[in-house]
Amino acid sequence: MSSRPLRRARAGTALLALLAGMGALAVPGPAAADSAPGDRRTVAYHGYRLQVPADWRVVDLAEHPRACPRFDTPAVYLGEPGDGNDCPARVVGRTAGLVVEPITARSAGRATGAIARAPRGKATAAPGASRDGSLRVAVEDAGVLVTAAHTPGTEALVRDVLASAELTPDARRTELPRTALPRTELPRTNLRRTELPRSGRHTAPAAPVAAGPQPGTYLGKGFDACTAPSQAAMDAWRSGSPYRAVGVYISGSFRGCAQPNLTATWVAEQTGKGWHLIPIDVGRQAPCTGYSLRMSADPATARSQGVAAAADALTAAANLGIPAGSALYSDIEAYTSTASCKAAVLSYLSGWTERLHSGGYLSGFYSSAASGIRDAAEEYDNSAYTRVDHIFYAWWNGAADTATGPYVPSTHWSGHQRIHQYAGEVTESYGGHTITIDRDYLDVGTGPAPQPGCGAVNLDFTAYGTIRSGSTGPLVMAAQCLLRAAGHDPGTPDGIFGPGTATAAGNFQSGVGLASDGVIGARTWTALLSHGTAPTLREGATGEAVTRLQRALTAALARTVSIDGVFGPGTTQAVRDYQSTRGLVNDGVVGSATWGALQSGR
């Protein structure tokens, strides 16, 4: 049985006290929608007004507290999502939509450094780069947080809607608490640390973290739902249901549901009470499907897209307090397999797995047993692909076990590495809390955590100077991580260029045809920084491979190339300069010849 169509985006006490003390607990104001010129209409809430396309639904959550904030059809949700959202188990993909909610203890708990803050007297702010298919703006003068979901095709429209916002006379200011501000926005002091008296120092509260790696070691039943349930629902289900594991949709720009409950505090609370979490990312889908967000059919590009997806999932996991050693699952829905589609999916998963391993996490893969999981099983021992650590398969046969029937040999992923989604789209109620779920059965274990690589180490520098034995500092740390990622382990990265680093550098140099002197200069930096996949890149490309290219060009050309992961005019010019000085075809396109030159340190 194949899995269902792509659904969803399934996916603090101290903070509450702080907000109450500040008088910052906002009282939701009335919502309104009126006609506007042309094909737009005016929507107002809490002193915040903007123009949205006339065909978008407008849902007042005060009037419809069980409405499910979902982005598979364009909509605006006004107010704070209720505790008992009536979300289906299936929500297909994403189009565009907004949630405009008051700043409260609950909503502020989801505030991170990715939120743009409108200046005083304004209802707009430059949201900056999209994170995970969403833009977030705090409009403190109206006391609202705005989450704007989009796809690549609707991002410009959503930005235009946000730019139309203005304040109304009803606006009342509510500030985000200090603990929710991005680090760069915190007030600064001119006092030195040594001038602060001990009694006057304030230690920021520790961020909540999960009780351990997730889903951890567990044999038994679980469930997944479109949106993370409320605390009351989780407590009721903990007491009355047979489930002790819950799937949560932590990341992915193709999630269909909002996640009003999902915070680091929520994660810590559930795991502290004995729940096991299944963290899931819903991103690009197979290229042979009709979904609007698909991975490339080119395996090299698909691999780089998998790397980028994993990087976003790592950020989401860190923000939610889900620690290294956890398994993160990539949700790739059912597809009709062909040789080329299979190669793209497995390449995407290779990039996904490699990036997660570099951050110290395990990789998981959710799909239909009859398509994605079977494809992965058929190439289980193929060294061209990096095997995922866990499988999570949809086979709705009603059997609460981890048997895989004809789809996966019993010897594959047999070491507590399986989750079986055995029934879907069922509605259950415990303790007065009703949720539509898919039923899962888990046989999972923590296993050895991958050795962290360069996930938390800065690799972006304006210049890559020569380092050798005796050198210390951030450049040495970067080189050590890059050497490890290239398969030449220098020992624990510590920022000290000792004998182990010199040996690893020499071995790397020999492998790429450079003089094996253990000194990392421009040529070795160029080869190290460009090491990895070699997809064809040209102006307009984005992602991890572009970032590697920009770093390598900075080293090779001995000048600063902007490292932002976006192949723009500046990168094009740098590529042309490199190609012309190395006797390559000067076309500004990075193909196999240009990658080959970079990766050999030319």
Side-chain angles (χ1 to χ4, degrees):
M1 180 177 187
S2 64
S3 73
R4 72 282 184 223
L6 178 64
R7 60 187 200 220
R8 53 245 194 187
R10 304 215 307 190
T13 304
L15 178 58
L16 179 60
L18 174 62
L19 282 167
M22 296 167 58
L25 288 174
V27 178
D34 300 306
S35 61
D39 59 353
R40 298 289 178 104
R41 63 170 163 169
T42 301
V43 174
Y45 173 78
H46 217 272
Y48 176 80
R49 181 170 60 203
L50 73 171
Q51 307 294 318
V52 304
D55 59 350
W56 284 21
R57 292 188 305 126
V58 177
V59 180
D60 185 340
L61 293 175
E63 293 183 4
H64 305 282
R66 288 188 58 81
C68 177
R70 48 192 286 184
F71 303 130
D72 56 322
T73 58
V76 182
Y77 297 90
L78 303 173
E80 190 166 20
D83 281 345
N85 294 336
D86 188 16
C87 290
R90 303 186 193 186
V91 174
V92 181
R94 176 177 292 189
T95 53
L98 273 67
V99 177
V100 183
E101 59 186 315
I103 294 175
T104 64
R106 181 188 184 202
S107 63
R110 298 191 302 278
T112 69
I115 291 184
R117 297 173 68 215
R120 278 191 177 265
K122 299 289 185 181
T124 60
S130 174
R131 299 285 185 88
D132 211 18
S134 296
L135 302 164
R136 302 197 69 198
V137 179
V139 184
E140 292 171 297
D141 271 5
V144 297
L145 290 174
V146 184
T147 300
H150 62 82
T151 67
T154 60
E155 181 175 356
L157 170 62
V158 166
R159 286 182 181 273
D160 183 56
V161 169
L162 291 175
S164 73
E166 57 187 359
L167 300 172
T168 75
D170 296 328
R172 297 293 182 269
R173 184 172 177 84
T174 303
E175 295 185 358
L176 282 172
R178 179 186 174 92
T179 53
L181 297 180
R183 185 173 299 273
T184 56
E185 302 255 9
L186 294 177
R188 298 186 179 185
T189 175
N190 292 324
L191 293 177
R192 297 177 181 174
R193 180 181 294 274
T194 55
E195 295 175 323
L196 284 170
R198 183 172 299 277
S199 60
R201 292 178 186 166
H202 297 281
T203 301
V209 295
Q214 299 300 315
T217 299
Y218 175 62
L219 177 67
K221 290 184 176 181
F223 71 94
D224 55 279
C226 187
T227 189
S230 69
Q231 187 61 58
M234 292 299 295
D235 288 344
W237 279 50
R238 171 71 180 160
S239 298
S241 82
Y243 306 114
R244 293 297 180 268
V246 55
V248 288
Y249 290 76
I250 69 167
S251 60
S253 55
F254 213 47
R255 295 179 298 166
C257 285
Q259 293 289 353
N261 298 313
L262 187 57
T263 66
T265 298
W266 187 94
V267 167
E269 185 78 9
Q270 309 328 311
T271 59
K273 292 182 176 182
W275 285 100
H276 298 263
L277 305 187
I278 310 168
I280 307 168
D281 174 272
V282 189
R284 293 180 181 272
Q285 299 300 300
C288 50
T289 66
Y291 294 118
S292 61
L293 185 68
R294 300 185 297 274
M295 65 190 70
S296 172
D298 173 62
T301 303
R303 184 184 290 257
S304 68
Q305 290 169 336
V307 170
D312 288 342
L314 286 171
T315 298
N319 287 339
L320 290 170
I322 299 172
S326 299
L328 308 182
Y329 297 80
S330 176
D331 182 333
I332 299 176
E333 296 290 323
Y335 57 91
T336 302
S337 186
T338 63
S340 62
C341 195
K342 175 181 178 179
V345 168
L346 296 185
S347 296
Y348 180 93
L349 290 170
S350 294
W352 166 262
T353 300
E354 291 159 8
R355 182 65 183 88
L356 290 184
H357 285 181
S358 77
Y361 287 72
L362 297 168
S363 73
F365 173 34
Y366 170 88
S367 191
S368 162
S371 57
I373 300 299
R374 178 161 56 188
D375 279 353
E378 288 175 350
E379 305 302 330
Y380 187 83
D381 292 316
N382 188 343
S383 61
Y385 304 112
T386 303
R387 184 194 307 157
V388 297
D389 300 302
H390 286 199
I391 55 171
F392 179 6
Y393 55 98
W395 182 24
W396 292 357
N397 63 353
D401 59 27
T402 54
T404 48
Y407 304 115
V408 179
S410 61
T411 55
H412 294 1
W413 296 288
S414 58
H416 308 292
Q417 299 164 281
R418 296 183 174 196
I419 304 176
H420 177 194
Q421 187 183 83
Y422 63 92
E425 303 295 335
V426 295
T427 300
E428 299 187 26
S429 182
Y430 299 94
H433 292 270
T434 301
I435 309 174
T436 301
I437 65 169
D438 293 334
R439 295 170 178 160
D440 306 319
Y441 191 83
L442 295 80
D443 181 1
V444 292
T446 54
Q451 192 69 28
C454 300
V457 175
N458 179 41
L459 303 179
D460 300 344
F461 296 89
T462 57
Y464 294 87
T466 298
I467 54 176
R468 52 173 52 87
S469 291
S471 297
T472 60
L475 274 175
V476 176
M477 180 75 81
Q480 290 169 327
C481 286
L482 291 166
L483 286 166
R484 170 177 284 182
H488 301 279
D489 192 353
T492 301
D494 57 7
I496 301 172
F497 202 128
T501 303
T503 299
N507 291 338
F508 174 78
Q509 290 166 329
S510 294
V512 298
L514 296 172
S516 180
D517 58 7
V519 176
I520 301 179
R523 297 190 65 184
T524 304
W525 273 122
T526 300
L528 268 177
L529 293 162
S530 61
H531 178 80
T533 59
T536 298
L537 302 175
R538 52 175 50 85
E539 192 159 325
T542 60
E544 181 270 344
V546 176
T547 301
R548 282 190 290 115
L549 169 68
Q550 292 166 331
R551 293 173 183 147
L553 290 170
T554 295
L557 297 173
R559 75 167 193 256
T560 301
V561 176
S562 178
I563 301 172
D564 58 6
V566 178
F567 199 131
T571 302
T572 298
Q573 186 58 55
V575 169
R576 287 184 175 277
D577 292 345
Y578 177 80
Q579 290 170 328
S580 64
T581 56
R582 269 65 175 181
L584 301 169
V585 175
N586 185 2
D587 57 4
V589 176
V590 182
S592 58
T594 302
W595 277 117
L598 289 165
Q599 293 179 346
S600 63
R602 286 177 56 189

